[in-house]
């Protein structure tokens, strides 16, 4: 298969997946609303889960576990690997001509944009707006801050706040890379990577760094963002890919 045929195939796949994404917007929004409503109606769920990993004498002792710390750091490092690789593949250079299956530029731009807008800017804006204190800062767990439900605007945290979880958002980003996977392997990819991403996310709850709602709402927000962004990028795939193809021919 030559590069032209591959580009046509990728565009056809992108159009099909883009059509499917359009139908996922409503369910994604409903799921986000449902999860938010559950934690708003029963905020004690957060305290119950966090309390399971807390000891009066040791606090959140798992935060000192060297394996879990390394596991957390891996999750923090992976987004930079994805962004660096995507940027390198977008820059026109002779090496790209030797790739048997070069990734479509619109998919690379989708990955970069999602990481920047979601786990990057979006998460930090929500943290600053909501100001929710982390579990380990609460009075219930030896701190001085007051517990507040998700989405409630408060002044219990000034910076690097609990809601929503940036690590959970970054972990979810691994699932969005399914756009680079052949459709027949997409379910396998989502299942395998989903388990790892969930472990990355729940690890922050074990540390006392986030509530369960911080993680679950982060995933649902990122799902909505991913569906909206992919719908636009897949629809604009011919124009985006053509733009980068013209530049690559000049190198």
């Amino acid at each position: 298969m030559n590069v032209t045929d591959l580009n046509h195939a990728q565009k056809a796949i992108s159009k099909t997946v883009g059509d499917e994404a359009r139908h996922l917007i409503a369910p994604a929004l409903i799921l986000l609303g449902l999860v938010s409503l559950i934690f708003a109606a029963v905020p004690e769920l957060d305290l119950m889960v966090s309390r399971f990993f807390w000891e009066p004498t040791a606090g959140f002792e798992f935060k000192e576990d060297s394996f879990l710390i390394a596991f957390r750091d891996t999750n923090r490092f992976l987004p930079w690997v994805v962004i660096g690789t995507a940027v390198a593949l977008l820059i026109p250079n002779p090496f790209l001509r030797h790739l048997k299956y070069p990734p479509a530029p619109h998919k690379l731009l989708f990955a970069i944009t999602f990481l920047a807008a979601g786990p990057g800017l979006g998460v930090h804006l929500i943290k600053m707006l909501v100001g929710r204190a982390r579990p380990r800062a609460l009075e219930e767990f030896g701190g001085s801050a007051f517990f507040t439900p998700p989405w409630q605007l408060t002044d219990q945290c000034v910076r690097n706040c609990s809601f929503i979880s940036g690590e959970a958002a970054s972990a979810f980003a691994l699932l969005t890379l399914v756009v680079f996977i052949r459709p027949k392997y997409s379910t396998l990819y989502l299942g395998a990577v989903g388990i790892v991403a969930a472990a990355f996310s729940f690890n922050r709850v074990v540390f006392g760094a986030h509530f369960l709602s911080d993680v679950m709402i982060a995933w649902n927000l990122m799902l909505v963002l991913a569906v909206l962004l992919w719908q636009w990028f897949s629809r604009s795939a011919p124009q985006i890919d053509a733009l980068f193809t013209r530049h690559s021919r000049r190198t």
Side-chain angles (χ1 to χ4, degrees), residues 32 46 81 180 183 201 229:
L32 171 61
D46 275 331
V81 173
F180 297 99
S201 303
L229 283 177

Side-chain angles (χ1 to χ4, degrees), residues 106-125:
H106 74 277
K107 295 182 179 181
L108 296 170
L109 278 176
F110 163 73
I112 295 172
T113 303
F114 175 82
L115 281 164
L121 180 62
V123 165
H124 290 291
L125 287 177

Side-chain angles (χ1 to χ4, degrees), residues 58-167:
F60 290 97
E61 56 184 337
F62 285 108
K63 71 178 185 296
E64 307 296 338
D65 187 280
S66 58
F67 173 78
L68 294 180
I69 291 173
F71 193 60
R72 174 204 63 190
D73 292 342
T74 300
N75 184 37
R76 291 179 173 180
F77 177 69
L78 285 176
W80 296 107
V81 173
V82 173
I83 291 175
T85 302
V87 170
L89 290 172
L90 278 174
I91 298 175
N93 62 81
F95 172 75
L96 295 178
R97 299 175 183 174
H98 301 290
L99 291 179
K100 187 175 182 180
Y101 301 110
H106 74 277
K107 295 182 179 181
L108 296 170
L109 278 176
F110 163 73
I112 295 172
T113 303
F114 175 82
L115 281 164
L121 180 62
V123 165
H124 290 291
L125 287 177
I126 294 174
K127 284 178 180 288
M128 292 171 56
L129 176 65
V130 176
R132 189 187 200 188
R134 295 180 182 271
R136 58 194 179 205
L138 299 184
E139 288 183 335
E140 289 87 345
F141 304 117
S144 58
F146 293 103
F147 172 77
T148 54
W151 293 115
Q152 179 176 314
L153 304 186
T154 180
D155 60 355
Q156 293 302 301
C157 173
V158 177
R159 59 183 297 274
N160 197 23
C161 304
S162 187
F163 185 82
I164 55 178
S165 170
E167 285 89 349

Side-chain angles (χ1 to χ4, degrees), residues 46 50 132-135 138 147 162 205 210-215:
D46 275 331
S50 293
R132 189 187 200 188
R134 295 180 182 271
L138 299 184
F147 172 77
S162 187
V205 178
H210 285 289
F211 293 106
L212 181 62
S213 61
D214 297 335
V215 169

Side-chain angles (χ1 to χ4, degrees), residues 4-20 104 106-107 183 230 234-235 237-238 241:
T4 301
D5 292 337
L6 180 62
N7 286 337
H8 286 320
Q10 289 179 332
K11 290 172 185 176
I13 293 172
S14 295
K15 184 179 184 302
T16 300
V17 179
D19 292 338
E20 294 176 354
H106 74 277
K107 295 182 179 181
W230 179 244
S234 60
R235 186 171 60 241
D241 293 350

